[in-house]
């Protein structure tokens, strides 16, 4: 699959640069599917810069940021990413397909069903039939923001899941392995931590192993399929 | 190894070093010290950098086990002092040679305290760091009663022994903030705040009860999660700002008001629930190396000789 600046990630926009800290700038207005393509391109031009992805942004960090801002803006304005830079076209980052077993017993399942005007069984069916794609990694080690893949049929879109905003009051403790949805995305909590997403179920899959050469199971561009299981 | 340290009472203490700043693209928080200046001062006191203990609350009680006649070099920074059972005290911001024996680290103020022994053997690093990450549970767990740390007796007898750290914060610290969002900055600077809750992943503020209450928190369009960094100030819907700490998640969905530089974040970590806090907006064009590098205020004191604690004599002038 390739994407272009006019692909489902959104219309072509000019990225904007915002001072964020003394040594970092936030680059915004990047269509989601192009974030990692931009990181590849920026890394080529600024190999010593730190590049941290967001959903529609990239955090650019360098000790000499002030002297690099002009060059950074020039690169962003003069060279939009093309299909050549899309992460899915690069053999070294060929996307993987992960099947995640889920025991759908989350404490928010009933509330989710009510919010979506579905039965709990219909929510589970919608979650398992949605084809998810890892848009980016962030928030916590191995925490993948999973967006409905553009290849889904018209009824299962990001807007469908976006009917569920984040919880009004975040939980202080979300158990490790919790499978959740909020704001148009799904995710799996790799460890116990605070969180504001709605809990659908749990999985026993290990998402982050710092002893491995590639600690994060999920990588941007990977595809994720959730499969229901009866027992955790 | 020639001995070990046995920890009896840990307070709220974690291992910290320079953290994991190069793994943020994997969602790994930076971690590392809350108070940069005290951490770096401790490193400067020791012959070589060591992973340190960062104590946030509570006194420590530990026993050093070493062969007779051997010592281990210790350094301490922050509002605390080191005591033997005979009440011999070693002040903060100094080094001292410790023989075998019982020791207490007693706090006499709020804010992070750093202690290290040269040379001790910390836990195995995770992703290149022994820092305890309280957000994502990477690194060793917080220190617990019964923990044992292997030690090597020191051969060092001369080293720069003391630093002068700046006086503690003013009664009403005014923290420098470089803004991200004009309306948010106006909201933050419009009143006096105090600390509502304090953790390594963030310090949550609330309006000081006696201060003019802030205007309604400014509305912000819904935003998708974007990368954040320690020192950045988030504004959740309830209007209570959160200054992100070293263990904060690497991305967030709340709008950000601005960023405070490390030296001001250091001052914030000393605040108590009754400390009034105000913010002053600085223009990005005025950003100086002082804010950028945080190299200020590390002024070596006149060199002092390392002193050895003994059971017989007062060893500190």
């Amino acid at each position: 699959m390739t994407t272009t600046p006019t692909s489902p990630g959104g219309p072509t926009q000019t990225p904007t640069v915002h001072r964020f800290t003394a040594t970092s700038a936030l680059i915004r207005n990047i269509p989601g599917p192009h974030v990692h393509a931009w990181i590849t391109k920026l890394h080529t031009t600024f190999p010593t810069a730190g590049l941290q992805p967001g959903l529609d942004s990239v955090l650019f960090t360098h000790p000499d940021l002030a002297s690099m801002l002009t060059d950074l803006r020039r690169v962003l304005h003069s060279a939009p990413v093309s299909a050549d830079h899309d992460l899915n076209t690069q053999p070294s980052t060929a996307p993987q397909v992960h099947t995640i077993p889920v025991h759908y017993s989350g404490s928010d399942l009933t509330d989710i069903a009510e919010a979506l005007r579905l039965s709990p069984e219909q929510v589970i069916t919608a979650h398992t039939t949605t084809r998810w794609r890892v848009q980016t990694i962030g928030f916590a080690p191995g925490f993948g923001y999973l967006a409905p893949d553009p290849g889904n049929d018209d009824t299962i879109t990001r807007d469908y899941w976006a009917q569920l905003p984040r919880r009004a009051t975040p939980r202080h403790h979300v158990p490790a392995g919790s499978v959740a949805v909020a704001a148009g995305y799904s995710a799996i909590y790799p460890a116990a931590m605070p969180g504001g997403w709605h809990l659908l179920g749990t999985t026993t899959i290990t998402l982050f192993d710092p002893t491995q050469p590639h600690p994060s199971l999920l990588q941007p561009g990977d595809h994720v399929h959730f499969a229901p299981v009866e027992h955790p | 190894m020639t001995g070990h340290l046995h920890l009896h009472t840990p307070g709220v203490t974690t291992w910290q070093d320079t953290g994991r700043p190069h793994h943020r693209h994997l969602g790994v928080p930076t971690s590392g010290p809350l108070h940069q200046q005290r951490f770096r001062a401790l490193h400067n006191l020791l012959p070589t950098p060591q992973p340190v203990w960062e104590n946030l609350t509570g006194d420590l009680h530990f026993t050093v086990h070493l062969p007779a006649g051997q010592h281990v070099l210790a350094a301490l920074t922050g509002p605390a002092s080191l005591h033997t059972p005979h009440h011999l005290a070693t002040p903060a911001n100094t080094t001292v040679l410790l023989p075998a024996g019982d020791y207490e680290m007693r706090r006499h103020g709020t804010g992070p305290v750093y202690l290290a022994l040269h040379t001790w053997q910390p836990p195995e690093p995770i992703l290149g760091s022994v820092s305890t990450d309280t957000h994502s549970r990477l690194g060793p767990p917080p220190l617990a009663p019964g923990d044992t740390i292997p030690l090597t007796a020191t051969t060092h007898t001369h080293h720069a022994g003391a630093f002068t750290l700046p006086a503690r914060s003013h009664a009403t610290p005014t923290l420098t903030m470089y803004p991200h969002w004009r309306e948010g900055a106006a909201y933050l600077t419009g009143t006096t705040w105090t600390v509502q809750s304090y953790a390594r992943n963030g310090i949550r503020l609330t309006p000081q009860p006696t201060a003019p209450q802030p205007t309604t928190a400014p509305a912000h369009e819904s935003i998708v999660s974007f990368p954040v960094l320690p020192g950045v100030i988030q504004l959740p819907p309830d209007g209570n700002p959160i200054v992100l700490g070293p263990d904060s998640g690497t991305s967030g969905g709340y709008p950000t008001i601005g960023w405070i530089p490390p030296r001001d974040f250091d001052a914030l970590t000393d605040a108590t629930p009754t400390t009034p806090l105000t913010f002053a907006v600085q223009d990005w064009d005025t950003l100086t190396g002082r804010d950028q590098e945080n190299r200020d205020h590390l002024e070596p004191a006149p060199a002092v000789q390392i002193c050895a604690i003994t059971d017989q004599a007062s060893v500190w002038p």
Side-chain angles (χ1 to χ4, degrees):
Chain A
M1 187 192 84
T2 61
T3 58
T4 69
T6 56
S7 70
T12 301
Q13 299 175 80
T14 301
T16 54
V17 180
H18 308 264
R19 290 300 298 266
F20 203 64
T21 72
T23 56
S24 65
L26 189 64
I27 305 168
R28 306 204 71 160
N29 291 336
I30 299 176
H34 293 175
V35 164
H36 288 271
W38 269 111
I39 284 180
T40 300
K41 187 167 189 63
L42 290 168
H43 178 68
T44 302
T45 310
F46 305 100
T48 59
L51 298 162
Q52 184 184 335
L55 290 173
D56 65 354
S57 57
V58 172
L59 188 65
F60 180 99
T61 301
H62 196 280
D64 298 322
L65 175 71
S67 66
M68 306 179 80
L69 282 173
T70 301
D71 282 347
L72 177 60
R73 290 193 172 97
R74 178 179 52 75
V75 169
L76 292 170
H77 284 79
S78 65
V81 293
S82 68
D84 293 342
H85 291 94
D86 187 86
L87 72 167
N88 282 356
T89 66
Q90 299 177 62
S92 62
T93 57
Q96 305 292 306
V97 179
H98 306 278
T99 299
I100 308 292
V102 181
H103 180 56
Y104 282 94
S105 57
S107 52
D108 296 331
L109 182 56
T110 303
D111 291 344
I112 294 169
E114 287 181 6
L116 297 177
R117 300 186 185 87
L118 299 173
S119 68
E121 292 73 21
Q122 288 172 313
V123 171
I124 295 169
T125 299
H127 194 249
T128 55
T129 56
T130 298
R131 287 183 286 180
W132 301 92
R133 184 171 185 254
V134 182
Q135 188 163 323
T136 196
I137 302 291
F139 178 61
F143 186 101
Y145 287 86
L146 312 181
D149 192 276
N152 282 297
D153 66 48
D154 291 342
T155 62
I156 306 295
T157 64
R158 183 179 161 199
D159 289 344
Y160 176 86
W161 291 105
Q163 297 175 72
L164 284 169
R166 292 179 179 84
R167 287 170 54 88
T169 305
R171 288 185 169 91
H172 291 295
H173 179 89
V174 174
S178 293
V179 177
V181 288
Y185 295 90
S186 189
I188 310 165
Y189 284 82
M193 61 186 65
W197 292 32
H198 305 272
L199 307 184
L200 274 172
T202 57
T203 184
T204 56
I205 290 281
T206 299
L207 288 160
F208 192 83
D209 182 351
T211 66
Q212 296 301 309
H214 300 287
S216 181
L217 174 71
L218 304 179
Q219 300 292 331
D222 284 359
H223 297 275
V224 173
H225 167 66
F226 292 103
V229 294
E230 291 196 8
H231 302 288
Chain B
M1 293 297 136
T2 51
H4 65 275
L5 179 154
H6 187 81
L7 181 62
H8 306 291
T9 306
V12 177
T13 305
T14 58
W15 286 98
Q16 295 298 332
D17 56 14
T18 53
R20 305 178 182 86
H22 304 301
H23 294 84
R24 294 185 63 84
H25 64 288
L26 297 177
V28 177
T30 302
S31 294
L34 269 171
H35 199 295
Q36 294 280 340
Q37 188 180 65
R38 289 182 192 141
F39 173 79
R40 289 184 299 108
L42 191 76
H43 273 192
N44 289 340
L45 286 167
L46 294 171
T48 55
Q50 297 286 306
V52 307
W53 284 358
E54 179 184 82
N55 171 266
L56 298 184
T57 60
D59 295 343
L60 303 183
H61 175 206
F62 58 88
T63 302
V64 171
H65 297 272
L66 284 172
Q70 297 198 9
H71 299 80
V72 64
L73 183 67
L76 178 71
T77 57
S81 52
L82 201 57
H83 299 253
T84 71
H86 302 293
H87 307 294
L88 303 176
T90 301
N93 310 324
T94 59
T95 51
V96 63
L97 284 170
L98 305 180
D102 275 348
Y103 298 94
E104 291 183 4
M105 190 208 78
R106 298 178 190 162
R107 299 183 61 93
H108 46 75
T110 58
V113 170
Y114 295 89
L115 173 70
L117 271 59
H118 186 275
T119 302
W120 59 10
Q121 183 174 305
E124 286 296 312
I126 300 295
L127 297 175
S129 169
V130 304
S131 287
T132 300
D133 176 348
T134 59
H135 171 70
S136 50
R137 318 290 180 194
L138 289 180
L143 287 154
D147 282 355
T148 298
I149 317 299
L151 298 173
T152 299
T154 184
T155 57
H156 292 269
T157 55
H158 296 286
H159 189 67
F163 274 95
T164 300
L165 288 171
R168 289 172 62 78
S169 309
H170 298 293
T172 305
T174 296
L175 307 177
T176 300
M177 182 196 58
Y178 294 90
H180 294 166
W181 173 30
R182 182 182 305 167
E183 291 80 5
Y187 173 76
L188 190 70
T189 56
T191 192
T192 302
W193 303 86
T194 191
V195 172
Q196 182 183 57
S197 63
Y198 182 114
R200 282 186 46 82
N201 59 1
I203 297 174
R204 193 177 183 92
L205 307 179
T206 189
Q208 191 187 42
T210 57
Q213 293 303 289
T215 57
T216 303
H220 195 287
E221 63 186 46
S222 177
I223 54 178
V224 297
S225 293
F226 58 95
V228 292
L229 287 167
V232 164
I233 308 169
Q234 288 183 328
L235 185 62
D238 66 4
N240 289 333
I242 301 170
V243 186
L244 299 180
D247 288 355
S248 61
T250 59
S251 59
Y254 295 135
T256 61
I257 295 173
W259 169 76
I260 64 173
R263 65 187 169 89
D264 292 80
F265 188 85
D266 285 354
L268 180 60
T269 66
D270 282 342
T272 73
T274 60
T275 305
L277 301 163
T278 57
F279 291 83
V281 173
Q282 288 283 316
D283 191 283
W284 285 100
D285 291 338
T286 66
L287 187 68
T288 64
R290 175 176 144 119
D291 281 344
Q292 183 160 341
E293 302 295 339
N294 191 28
R295 287 179 178 154
D296 56 318
H297 298 316
L298 270 183
E299 301 164 2
V304 297
Q305 190 169 1
I306 294 175
C307 296
I309 285 182
T310 73
D311 288 338
Q312 304 301 320
S314 175
V315 295
W316 210 261

